[in-house]
Amino acid sequence: MSDGDGVRISPLPPGFGDMLPGPELVAALAPVDRNACNGFEVGEQTNRQARNL
């Protein structure tokens, strides 16, 4: 994603890395398009999903 000026905007919601396991984290993960994520963001998303298990 881009802001129109060529600056990439993360598809992960703000504060995603600090979210605790629970329903809020599940709701934040649901709409994220993994295809729009870079390698770091996919890793972050995977780590957060594992916390919910």
Side-chain angles (χ1 to χ4, degrees):
M1 289 198 267
S2 173
D3 68 358
D5 293 328
V7 176
R8 185 175 179 285
I9 299 173
S10 174
L12 300 178
F16 179 77
D18 298 323
M19 291 182 173
L20 297 174
E24 293 84 13
L25 179 58
V26 172
L29 284 172
V32 175
D33 178 7
R34 288 185 73 141
N35 293 322
C37 294
N38 64 26
F40 175 78
E41 292 162 341
V42 170
E44 284 291 300
Q45 188 178 20
T46 302
N47 289 338
R48 299 297 180 251
Q49 286 174 326
R51 284 184 170 183
N52 267 334
L53 298 178

